[in-house]
Amino acid sequence: MHDHGTPADLAGTIRSYDFVRELDTFEVRRPLAGRSVRVERWLASARGSQGDRLVYVLDEPLDGEERSRLCGYLGALSEMAPGRTAAPEAAGLENGFVWIASPFVGHGTAMLTLDRLAEERDTLAPNEVDRAICQLLDTTESARDAGIAHGPVSYGEPTVDRGGRVVLELPGLGRALDGLSRVNPELVRDEVRSIVELGYRIAVGLPAGESPLRPSRLNRRLGRSWDLWFEQGLDPSRGFETPAEARLALPSATTEAAVVEGAGLRFLGRRKRAEVDQSPTA
């Protein structure tokens, strides 16, 4: 922590927001700088308006050039397709901290990561895996169209919001702070492959390459078409070139078992019912 107090001190200086409580933190990798930036999340309310907010606080000071890059990045982020990420509604510099406010993209009043939810279930059903993969592919594609280069998506990055949508928070922030805004074909392939790896893990409960068995042997609900999709997507020499190519090759794109658009991840409904059943007041 630097010498400008703590993020809690911002409660008295960001006049438009009331801080409620601190949520989980996460780290944003800066590939050129060779280090990570710690980002704190705060549940907040916006004075004079309805709905919870997320206030992100970067836990290190930025120099003038980095702040300029951040401004450009936030402008690009606001141009992404609605629902693909935590869209910035305000940002500023207070007490040495850079803060970014957005609508709340957590679950309930907490943050729910996709990996945590998948591990609660051991493996996810094919339609749930399909939905999560499609939403992440759409997000990276939308980011690329807005001029944002995210890079590979790590297993613990995506979160699940109240409606069951998989969200990638502040995509490309680390690369933007390093001035790495160029989107090239190799980076796109790496992004897509990382999403395939993430999809494999939530589908079978193991990292890709850890078991010699086909995915359909590890999760009996998966069909042979999923084996072929993962085989191609994980192959470094013939993997998918773009999000669109990966999406069109999904089993749901070539069968009648397509996921209903807008339905969200169905496992959230089951999770909510389980929480009610286990409640002492239920």
Side-chain angles (χ1 to χ4, degrees):
M1 188 72 70
H2 44 85
D3 297 329
H4 299 277
T6 68
D9 295 333
L10 296 181
T13 57
I14 302 179
R15 297 180 181 178
S16 299
Y17 299 92
D18 290 317
F19 280 35
V20 178
R21 63 185 176 89
E22 187 174 9
L23 303 174
D24 296 337
T25 63
F26 64 100
E27 291 190 351
V28 173
R29 178 69 178 168
R30 295 186 59 172
L32 193 61
R35 56 187 174 82
S36 296
V37 176
R38 184 168 172 262
V39 180
E40 299 185 2
R41 296 185 187 100
W42 287 79
L43 177 65
S45 60
R47 299 174 190 172
S49 65
Q50 299 295 317
D52 293 329
R53 298 295 192 273
L54 267 177
V55 176
Y56 300 98
V57 181
L58 277 62
D59 194 22
E60 71 169 50
L62 301 181
D63 61 29
E65 186 174 357
E66 289 169 331
R67 290 198 295 270
S68 178
R69 292 170 182 166
L70 180 65
C71 288
Y73 165 77
L74 293 175
L77 194 64
S78 64
E79 295 176 3
M80 285 183 60
R84 303 304 184 199
T85 187
E89 66 178 20
L93 180 68
E94 295 285 349
N95 294 352
F97 293 91
V98 171
W99 60 269
I100 303 165
S102 78
F104 188 70
V105 291
H107 182 64
T109 57
M111 302 305 298
L112 177 64
T113 57
L114 179 62
D115 65 320
R116 185 185 307 162
L117 197 148
E119 286 163 6
E120 290 179 3
R121 294 272 309 283
D122 293 328
T123 61
L124 301 184
N127 67 307
E128 298 165 346
V129 175
D130 182 285
R131 184 69 177 167
I133 288 172
C134 283
Q135 289 176 348
L136 288 172
L137 290 171
D138 289 347
T139 296
T140 56
E141 189 171 51
S142 178
R144 182 187 63 187
D145 292 342
I148 296 173
H150 180 70
V153 180
S154 67
Y155 181 51
E157 277 189 90
T159 60
V160 182
D161 70 12
R162 291 164 170 164
R165 179 174 292 278
V166 176
V167 176
L168 195 59
E169 300 174 85
L170 304 178
L173 173 59
R175 295 182 63 86
L177 291 176
D178 280 349
L180 301 174
S181 58
R182 182 168 174 264
V183 181
N184 57 61
E186 182 178 359
L187 183 68
V188 173
R189 285 194 297 271
D190 289 344
E191 285 179 347
V192 174
R193 179 181 168 84
S194 71
I195 294 172
V196 176
E197 291 174 342
L198 188 152
Y200 180 98
R201 189 158 180 174
I202 63 175
V204 307
L206 295 171
E210 188 165 303
S211 173
L213 298 177
R214 296 194 304 268
S216 60
R217 294 288 301 277
L218 296 168
N219 182 347
R220 296 290 185 176
R221 294 175 291 180
L222 297 173
R224 179 57 178 158
S225 55
W226 276 103
D227 293 338
L228 298 175
W229 190 83
F230 283 125
E231 181 181 346
Q232 179 177 352
L234 295 172
D235 190 328
S237 63
R238 64 184 190 92
F240 302 116
E241 298 287 329
T242 64
E245 182 184 355
R247 188 168 50 245
L248 290 173
L250 280 165
S252 63
T254 56
T255 68
E256 295 181 357
V259 177
V260 177
E261 192 67 27
L265 292 172
R266 296 179 183 177
F267 54 75
L268 273 179
R270 290 197 289 275
R271 188 175 191 267
K272 289 177 182 176
R273 287 195 293 274
E275 290 172 349
V276 171
D277 293 342
Q278 294 171 7
S279 171
T281 59

